[in-house]
Amino acid sequence: MGRIIGIDLGTTNSCVAVMEGTDPVVIHNQEGGRTTPSMVAFSEGGDVLVGAPAKRQAVTNPRRTVHSAKRLIGRKSGSAEVDRLKQTMPYEIAVAQNGDAWIRVGDRTFAPEEVSAHVLEKMRTVAEDYLGEAVSEAIVTVPAYFDDVQRQATKDAGLLAGLTVRSILNEPTAAALAYGLHQDKDGVYAVFDLGGGTFDISILRAQAGVFEVLATNGDTTLGGDDFDQMLVHKLVAEFMAAEALDLTGDPVALQRLRDAAERAKHELSSALNTDINLPFVAVGAAGPKHLIREVSRSELELLVAPLLARLEAPCRRALSDARLTEADITSVVLVGGMTRMPAVQAKVEEIFKRKPSRGVNPDEIVAMGAAIQSGMMDGDGAMAEMVLLDVTPHALGIRAAGGRFAPVIPAQTTIPTRETKVFATTEDNQELVTLEVYQGSAPEVKDNRHLGTFTLGDLPRGPRGSLRVEVAFTVDADGIVSVDAKELTTGKATSIRIDGASGLSKNQIDEMSQKRTGQFPKLIRR
């Protein structure tokens, strides 16, 4: 068996780490960086650029450069989040046959899993260059609030990248592992994780090497991209008012604006003012037009105030679910690049009534935690004595009469877990029982995630109510759902057909793997 690496597959940047003895080590990429931009560019000649090379040419090739693919993974094209992203992304978001959101580049379409696979494959080669040996297994992190479809899609991306994903680890849990190992003291941690595309809050208790997640909550539609976009919208509106030119129809101008907004946001974390200077951003009747403007920290904070306000409710719910108050929290750990923003840190202090800890690198701590998890799985030394108990963030249940959601496994249940529910036939001579399975916490199924339709077939005929079917719902340690069933009267196991609502089929994965095998020789990793 080779080494197991830990990968933080981020919306904006990704990071890879490995255990060296009892310490997690972040690995530098081939460009010398400790993190890698989660960007993939497809040239017209068929070459694939990943990471920094893709980012360098994003302005000149915006329609063929994909970023933030993580925000699309496992999402339907008609969802509110995807509709919003269609208005902001320079590349085209297409509709797959099953309604999933895919990405169109030229005359080809790519599943978000395919794009993420290129980033994971880059992380694999970074690790292989460092270790001097082939790598085939990884721990990959995901936002704690990812649902079953998004988790399975992440595992599929790993498979396309030539990796066996040994475990899907929640990002806040990974950060708590790394922080707890670094601090080497017991306590109750609030892990506040605000990255490029998602927000998670998890409450964990560390005691005698046992890391127990008490509750988790979050918002998978809130991240650093949204903060950037608020500034972009303002700049576009001002330019339209001043010059009567709409920049939203120009992908190159939009990408330049997005890059400038991101740089301004970063600079305003340490400075009170910064300049946005975009010469020749458009051409009007009178000639070239330039966008030159000063932005202050206070102006940006006022602009993103609605986003900052959205951070509080998930934190309150997590504390309530954990049956704790702010006073019970030992330390607040900041994770994700957006937590460098002073206004975010001030919001954290307002919520938890204490200053957050700044003793760790928010960009690297998740990958380090994933590496620690690999050490726990390998059972080496002190790592073997550590125990991790996570929870499922969403309830798992079925569609009941009137479109109501009937939970079978409640949210915040420690995983892995298994619960059973017995169903009886409602008609004479009924041969099939069909169940619609959902994941979420809303009272109505229409507001939850449809995981699939499960058909239990080949039932023996009989009067209604005479046959009972026991259905077992399982959530494994990765938070991935499975269902099996048996007919109780005869003890016969029933066949289950799963009609998945989203995600890639096995045939699609096989086909994509074959295509990618042909692409790898043209993959540019400079």
Side-chain angles (χ1 to χ4, degrees):
M1 296 290 289
R3 302 282 291 275
I4 306 174
I5 59 175
I7 300 176
D8 173 15
L9 178 62
T11 303
T12 307
N13 295 292
S14 295
C15 186
V16 59
V18 68
M19 290 301 294
E20 294 287 9
T22 58
D23 296 317
V25 175
V26 173
I27 305 174
H28 289 78
N29 59 29
Q30 292 90 341
E31 296 80 31
R34 292 170 68 88
T35 62
T36 299
S38 300
M39 301 182 73
V40 179
F42 302 90
S43 75
E44 293 186 4
D47 291 337
V48 181
L49 300 171
V50 182
K55 187 171 185 176
R56 283 196 293 268
Q57 56 86 73
V59 169
T60 59
N61 191 22
R63 286 202 175 275
R64 303 183 72 91
T65 304
V66 182
H67 56 81
S68 302
K70 183 175 176 178
R71 302 197 78 165
L72 296 174
I73 201 164
R75 291 193 188 276
K76 288 296 184 183
S77 179
S79 67
E81 170 69 356
V82 173
D83 285 344
R84 188 171 61 84
L85 291 174
K86 287 178 180 178
Q87 307 302 316
T88 61
M89 294 301 180
Y91 53 83
E92 182 182 352
I93 299 176
V95 185
Q97 286 186 347
N98 66 351
D100 284 357
W102 282 26
I103 297 155
R104 186 180 302 281
V105 178
D107 59 355
R108 286 197 59 187
T109 56
F110 298 90
E113 292 93 323
E114 290 182 272
V115 177
S116 296
H118 280 296
V119 179
L120 289 173
E121 201 267 344
K122 167 78 172 181
M123 296 294 93
R124 178 170 66 85
T125 59
V126 167
E128 288 176 339
D129 289 349
Y130 173 80
L131 296 171
E133 62 183 70
V135 172
S136 61
E137 296 183 311
I139 309 294
V140 180
T141 62
V142 298
Y145 226 53
F146 257 23
D147 61 26
D148 177 75
V149 174
Q150 292 168 309
R151 291 168 187 271
Q152 186 59 60
T154 303
K155 293 194 80 168
D156 291 343
L159 187 63
L160 290 172
L163 288 166
T164 297
V165 179
R166 289 284 301 274
S167 177
I168 293 290
L169 183 62
N170 289 337
E171 290 165 5
T173 306
L177 279 175
Y179 182 81
L181 187 67
H182 174 72
Q183 294 292 317
D184 192 26
K185 64 179 181 181
D186 296 342
V188 178
Y189 304 138
V191 183
F192 185 98
D193 183 356
L194 183 60
T198 58
F199 168 55
D200 284 320
I201 177 69
S202 290
I203 311 296
L204 304 94
R205 176 180 288 115
Q207 188 170 9
V210 177
F211 290 81
E212 180 185 10
V213 180
L214 303 177
T216 190
N217 212 288
D219 186 341
T220 58
T221 65
L222 176 62
D225 285 355
D226 304 293
F227 286 73
D228 300 342
Q229 205 58 43
M230 295 291 277
L231 183 54
V232 170
H233 284 322
K234 183 173 180 61
L235 295 175
V236 166
E238 288 180 348
F239 195 80
M240 181 66 180
E243 306 290 350
L245 292 172
D246 184 5
L247 297 178
T248 59
D250 184 345
V252 173
L254 267 183
Q255 187 60 40
R256 291 180 67 190
L257 275 170
R258 183 180 179 277
D259 289 349
E262 185 179 20
R263 282 195 302 271
K265 180 187 69 178
H266 291 166
E267 291 169 4
L268 290 173
S269 291
S270 56
L272 295 179
N273 297 278
T274 190
D275 291 321
I276 289 178
N277 192 337
L278 296 176
F280 305 100
V281 73
V283 177
K289 299 294 181 180
H290 316 297
L291 195 160
I292 301 173
R293 190 186 190 286
E294 183 182 66
V295 181
S296 67
R297 180 188 293 182
S298 59
E299 181 184 12
L300 178 63
E301 290 178 353
L302 183 63
L303 194 63
V304 301
L307 302 180
L308 294 170
R310 288 170 58 186
L311 298 171
E312 184 165 357
C315 295
R316 298 295 180 201
R317 288 194 294 266
L319 283 170
S320 176
D321 289 341
R323 295 179 174 82
L324 298 174
T325 66
E326 304 91 343
D328 298 312
I329 303 299
T330 306
S331 181
V332 181
V333 184
L334 298 181
V335 181
M338 270 307 302
T339 59
R340 288 190 172 91
M341 187 176 188
V344 172
Q345 295 176 4
K347 189 66 177 179
V348 172
E349 186 173 350
E350 174 190 330
I351 295 170
F352 291 97
K353 306 297 189 295
R354 67 178 62 245
K355 288 186 178 296
S357 171
R358 302 177 188 176
V360 295
N361 187 322
D363 297 321
E364 301 175 0
I365 189 172
V366 171
M368 293 170 65
I372 292 170
Q373 170 76 339
S374 75
M376 294 168 62
M377 296 185 75
D378 276 343
D380 292 336
M383 298 294 103
E385 299 178 4
M386 298 175 65
V387 177
L388 174 61
L389 301 173
D390 215 329
V391 299
T392 176
H394 306 284
L396 174 68
I398 62 168
R399 181 188 186 98
R404 292 180 299 105
F405 178 57
V408 177
I409 296 178
Q412 314 301 341
T413 298
T414 300
I415 55 176
T417 187
R418 182 180 176 89
E419 294 289 342
T420 60
K421 194 172 184 68
V422 176
F423 299 89
T425 53
T426 57
E427 299 177 5
D428 293 337
N429 300 318
Q430 185 174 337
E431 295 181 337
L432 299 175
V433 172
T434 300
L435 303 175
E436 291 185 54
V437 178
Y438 289 80
Q439 194 172 37
S441 300
E444 304 292 327
V445 294
K446 63 182 179 62
D447 299 320
N448 292 324
R449 182 59 179 262
H450 182 214
L451 298 185
T453 300
F454 298 81
T455 300
L456 290 61
D458 196 25
L459 298 177
R461 293 171 180 263
R464 66 177 183 178
S466 63
L467 298 179
R468 295 184 303 151
V469 178
E470 181 184 75
V471 183
F473 297 80
T474 303
V475 182
D476 66 15
D478 294 336
I480 293 177
V481 177
S482 61
V483 179
D484 57 79
K486 67 178 179 180
E487 199 279 302
L488 295 178
T489 305
T490 63
K492 176 183 176 182
T494 60
S495 61
I496 301 179
R497 187 180 76 249
I498 303 175
D499 300 322
S502 296
L504 300 176
S505 67
K506 183 180 183 302
N507 289 339
Q508 285 176 312
I509 293 173
D510 290 342
E511 182 180 347
M512 291 174 185
S513 296
Q514 292 174 0
K515 287 181 180 178
R516 284 179 57 80
T517 301
Q519 286 179 356
F520 281 153
K522 305 186 84 173
L523 184 66
I524 298 177
R525 303 191 184 100
R526 64 173 178 267

